[in-house]
Amino acid sequence: MIFHFKFFDFVPARFNVALMMFLACWVNYMLRVNMSVNIIAMVPDVSTTTSVKSECKAIATDDSTLYNETVITKKELRQPEGVVTFTWTAQEQAYVLSGYFWGYAITSVVSGIAAEFWGPRRLVFITMLISALLTLLSPQAARLHYMVLVAVRFVIGLAAGFLFPSLHALVAHWAPPAEKGKFVSALLGGAIGTVVTWSLTGPLIENFGWDYAFYVPGVIAAVWCLFWWFLVYDSPVQHPRISDAEKQYILEAIGDKVTHESKDKKVVPPFKYIFTSFPFLAMVILHYGSNWGLYFVMTAAPKFVSSALGFNLTSTGTLSSLPYLARMIFSLIFGAIGDRIVRQNVVSTTFMRKFFCLFSHVVPGLLLIALGYTGCAPILSVALITFSMGSNGAATLTNLVNHQDLAPNFAGTLYGIANGIGNTAGFVTPLVTAHFTKNGNGFAEWRPVFITGASLYIASAGYFILFGTGDTQSWNYIAPTEEEEDKRPSNSSNNSNDTTVTIPVKT
């Protein structure tokens, strides 16, 4: 018996695809960030340590629950009796936390190619299901040995590395140019996943134990896989329930830039042209600058809010999630603005990509510089972090979509390569932060951290403005084989009735 999800047939198929992409990012981040909170309950801190005192002695507040001059970093977590805990060292905990990201960086490079060969629908389903099952097995892995848990997290990271390049391959086939901003904005659903995970994990741990902080996300991910399989297809051509009108609209809007080929016809990406392309290099550099800011907020911002600003841990968790919310909200706004500009056709794609680098990279960089000089205004500091990250939501119109411009036929491959390189920022950012703050957490120590991030933001934008473009590259177009050329009628090279579209060489 085939379940057709008739309810979803009342809405456009591309809306279902975009919604499932948003939820895919949400679920992916639930499985990614849960360990950073779970490990606090798995390895209780029996010591009591304090942070450095705030440099601003004159600050006073009546609300002692929000801001303390000296912040206690130990926080008691209530758990049911009998819950197993561990005595892992700080180094062992670091291995557990980093295992995911090592695996994630490895597969990010090749995942785009895999998505284009095997199809993003199937690849996302398999890898997300693997991640869900391994998340469910994580408590048992931890009880065996911490290195077993490290191995499990490493494999989850390997599987997760296939997600975003696969989703970008879907965008190339499903998003009409006038709606591409909204589709790319859907890829920032991980921000909501982070906030929801950090909000739910505490109550789950306190009421049921840390095991359930793995079980609940794992079950949610497994259920999501079922909806994904029945609602998402690799292209409008392959979707069995899409209306003819919607299919025609999407194919005509995308035009000849994308090949909606059958599953049996695959093309090897033109790596020689990709790696010698200055526009592609400019996109990679722009993406790296954006990732540096993203990983700074993910890894260093909580420490800065707690240690340098002096907020207690309860407030730190809430305040550290604000930048993610801001980035999500701003991305929707910028995405809508970009779609409107495309519909009105008032400026070129290249101009739009370069102009919005001011918002996605330059403004966040300037705000980070300002952050180093706001020591006596902690609320202002939090606001600057939030708006710096929020302004980076304009990345939906710059580095998160430029690969779609350059070569939509190989969008997954391009994004996979760029994201694999960009994810190295996740390893480098903590090292840079640790280097500058090894002797203290005052603003004098943190200022170089902010300036380093700001420099990468602004320099990467400058390079893209000089060498980047929004024009489709000639190597995107797939030349027909000699056999196909011989079979093609001389007067029907662009036959719109073919369900398989073969793209001619661009002249």
Side-chain angles (χ1 to χ4, degrees):
M1 180 178 179
I2 300 176
F3 185 36
H4 289 291
F5 279 81
K6 291 294 185 181
F7 172 78
F8 293 97
D9 294 346
F10 289 101
V11 295
R14 67 186 186 281
F15 176 84
N16 290 335
V17 172
L19 176 62
M20 292 306 297
M21 289 169 56
F22 174 84
L23 295 176
C25 300
W26 180 322
V27 172
N28 173 269
Y29 266 73
M30 289 187 71
L31 305 184
R32 177 187 300 197
V33 305
N34 63 344
M35 181 58 73
S36 62
V37 179
N38 293 358
I39 200 168
I40 298 174
M42 297 168 69
V43 190
D45 184 8
V46 296
S47 64
T48 301
T49 58
T50 57
S51 71
V52 297
K53 291 184 177 181
S54 171
E55 294 177 355
C56 299
K57 304 294 185 182
I59 292 180
T61 177
D62 295 330
D63 187 0
S64 60
T65 64
L66 177 65
Y67 181 84
N68 300 316
E69 185 179 7
T70 301
V71 180
I72 297 177
T73 58
K74 174 180 176 291
K75 183 177 184 296
E76 289 289 344
L77 279 174
R78 298 189 304 271
Q79 296 191 77
E81 293 184 6
V83 172
V84 176
T85 58
F86 308 98
T87 57
W88 299 335
T89 66
Q91 189 66 42
E92 290 168 344
Q93 294 179 58
Y95 292 147
V96 172
L97 291 171
S98 63
Y100 177 100
F101 295 98
W102 284 106
Y104 185 80
I106 291 173
T107 50
S108 290
V109 177
V110 300
S111 53
I113 305 170
E116 287 157 4
F117 268 83
W118 296 324
R121 175 201 185 212
R122 179 185 305 171
L123 194 61
V124 170
F125 174 80
I126 293 173
T127 55
M128 190 71 84
L129 188 59
I130 291 173
S131 297
L133 295 176
L134 290 178
T135 298
L136 291 171
L137 294 175
S138 293
Q140 286 68 38
R143 289 182 173 87
L144 290 174
H145 195 273
Y146 84 92
M147 282 304 297
V148 179
L149 181 60
V150 171
V152 167
R153 293 293 294 176
F154 178 78
V155 177
I156 293 175
L158 285 175
F162 288 93
L163 178 68
F164 283 96
S166 297
L167 296 185
H168 279 280
L170 279 176
V171 170
H173 287 86
W174 278 97
E179 300 176 13
K180 190 160 287 187
K182 296 185 182 69
F183 268 82
V184 176
S185 296
L187 302 184
L188 297 182
I192 304 300
T194 300
V195 175
V196 170
T197 302
W198 285 354
S199 300
L200 291 180
T201 297
L204 283 173
I205 291 174
E206 291 183 355
N207 290 284
F208 305 101
W210 58 263
D211 301 57
Y212 284 83
F214 288 102
Y215 294 148
V216 172
V219 170
I220 292 174
V223 172
W224 172 90
C225 288
L226 299 177
F227 282 88
W228 172 270
W229 185 254
F230 285 103
L231 291 176
V232 177
Y233 290 84
D234 289 337
S235 74
V237 172
Q238 298 176 20
H239 200 296
R241 299 183 302 275
I242 189 173
S243 67
D244 291 338
E246 184 182 7
K247 181 194 298 185
Q248 190 70 13
Y249 164 67
I250 295 173
L251 296 180
E252 289 182 354
I254 294 176
D256 67 349
K257 293 183 179 181
V258 177
T259 302
H260 302 275
E261 73 277 359
S262 66
K263 296 181 180 179
D264 298 328
K265 181 182 177 183
K266 305 299 178 184
V267 179
V268 177
F271 290 110
K272 175 183 176 182
Y273 297 103
I274 290 174
F275 289 114
T276 57
S277 169
F278 270 100
F280 173 68
L281 176 62
M283 186 271 289
V284 171
I285 292 175
L286 190 70
H287 191 69
Y288 187 88
S290 178
N291 271 25
W292 184 282
L294 177 65
Y295 281 109
F296 166 75
V297 174
M298 184 181 296
T299 60
K303 180 182 178 183
F304 171 73
V305 171
S306 176
S307 300
L309 299 184
F311 288 98
N312 63 25
L313 287 180
T314 301
S315 301
T316 295
T318 302
L319 295 173
S320 297
S321 67
L322 292 179
Y324 287 94
L325 286 174
R327 190 170 188 251
M328 180 68 204
I329 294 171
F330 277 60
S331 72
L332 295 174
I333 296 173
F334 280 113
I337 292 173
D339 289 344
R340 185 175 181 85
I341 292 174
V342 171
R343 284 195 298 269
Q344 293 182 347
N345 196 27
V346 292
V347 297
S348 67
T349 301
T350 297
F351 178 86
M352 183 170 68
R353 300 286 177 254
K354 294 182 177 182
F355 174 77
F356 279 99
C357 283
L358 298 176
F359 296 95
S360 66
H361 287 68
V362 176
V363 170
L366 295 176
L367 292 177
L368 283 184
I369 293 175
L371 185 59
Y373 299 91
T374 57
C376 294
I379 300 299
L380 177 60
S381 296
V382 172
L384 289 176
I385 295 176
T386 301
F387 281 100
S388 175
M389 190 72 163
S391 184
N392 182 249
T396 56
L397 300 180
T398 57
N399 58 283
L400 291 181
V401 73
N402 186 233
H403 56 286
Q404 302 276 351
D405 304 323
L406 299 179
N409 267 316
F410 308 106
T413 297
L414 298 190
Y415 184 81
I417 296 171
N419 204 39
I421 296 173
N423 275 314
T424 60
F427 311 135
V428 179
T429 300
L431 296 177
V432 172
T433 302
H435 172 74
F436 286 115
T437 60
K438 60 185 177 182
N439 297 322
N441 283 297
F443 289 96
E445 288 79 19
W446 277 93
R447 198 168 291 128
V449 178
F450 302 141
I451 292 176
T452 300
S455 300
L456 285 169
Y457 258 139
I458 296 172
S460 62
Y463 190 91
F464 182 82
I465 290 172
L466 289 175
F467 299 105
T469 182
D471 297 333
T472 302
Q473 302 300 290
S474 59
W475 40 268
N476 168 72
Y477 295 87
I478 302 170
T481 63
E482 293 183 3
E483 181 180 353
E484 292 172 330
E485 191 67 42
D486 292 339
K487 293 180 179 180
R488 177 182 296 174
S490 59
N491 60 347
S492 59
S493 59
N494 290 316
N495 190 349
S496 61
N497 293 325
D498 291 342
T499 57
T500 300
V501 180
T502 303
I503 298 176
V505 180
K506 187 178 181 180
T507 57

